[in-house]
Amino acid sequence: MSFLLRQLHINDAPFIDALFQDIKVMKYIGPVLTASKAAKLCQNMMQEQSKNRACYWVVTRSSDGKQVGLSSGHWRSTTATITLGIMVAKKFQNQGVFNVAQVKSIELVKKKFPVKYLTAFTHHQNDAAKYCYQKIGFKSETTTAVAKDGSHLIKWSCEVENHSSHNWT
């Protein structure tokens, strides 16, 4: 199966709402959102995107355009860093969506921002995400962050100049 990324659009709101309200998708991300909070979050994503503070892409199945996930890149100009994130609908997990989406996201943010560093955070128990970040060249840092719910997060990073896209596939 192959996947494509396209820019988030307001018409994607129902899909985004469904992702943030799915307990299985949110397992390692945070608490499930109410419908009103998910709708507000989607509006905030659109605003961040329009102000060039972040990029959001809907991951679609190339054969029929079905929405399968959401990939993001948040820009921090003071450190020339992009923080990546991804959510994959439960039905499409373990099908290679993560690698395709993150590799393509990295290519896209490198074209849009003068990025020097890439970071991501994973829940300390999310072994699949940890494996995927390692596979695309990220290294875990010794320090961890604590999420709002008290769970521990692992910070992953890599320097853009030390990697080319052929290393990430």
Side-chain angles (χ1 to χ4, degrees), residues 8 34 46 65 90 100 119 127 145 158 168:
L8 176 69
T34 63
M46 297 300 298
K90 185 64 179 164
V100 170
T119 62
D127 293 333
C158 75
W168 291 326

Side-chain angles (χ1 to χ4, degrees), residues 17 32 47 49 54 57 64 105:
D17 293 352
V32 172
Q47 288 174 350
Q49 190 168 258
W57 303 278
D64 60 4
S105 295

Side-chain angles (χ1 to χ4, degrees), residues 4-5 57 99-109 111:
L4 303 171
L5 268 67
W57 303 278
N99 284 347
V100 170
Q102 292 300 66
V103 168
K104 186 64 177 168
S105 295
I106 291 166
E107 292 171 3
L108 292 169
V109 297
K111 291 177 183 175

Side-chain angles (χ1 to χ4, degrees), residues 20-109:
F20 280 95
Q21 293 177 58
D22 186 325
I23 194 165
K24 292 177 182 174
V25 171
M26 297 299 291
K27 179 178 180 179
Y28 295 119
I29 297 172
V32 172
L33 300 183
T34 63
S36 63
K37 285 185 179 181
K40 184 172 170 66
L41 179 62
C42 190
Q43 290 173 347
N44 290 343
M45 288 177 185
M46 297 300 298
Q47 288 174 350
E48 287 180 342
Q49 190 168 258
S50 70
K51 294 177 181 177
N52 286 325
R53 294 182 191 154
C55 298
Y56 294 93
W57 303 278
V58 173
V59 185
T60 62
R61 186 168 50 195
S62 57
S63 63
D64 60 4
K66 179 157 180 64
Q67 299 158 314
V68 302
L70 175 70
S71 185
S72 64
H74 295 265
W75 173 239
R76 180 168 291 192
S77 61
T78 56
T79 58
T81 301
I82 288 285
T83 301
L84 298 171
I86 187 162
M87 300 173 76
V88 179
K90 185 64 179 164
K91 181 178 177 181
F92 294 96
Q93 292 178 3
N94 301 310
Q95 295 181 35
V97 175
F98 181 103
N99 284 347
V100 170
Q102 292 300 66
V103 168
K104 186 64 177 168
S105 295
I106 291 166
E107 292 171 3
L108 292 169
V109 297

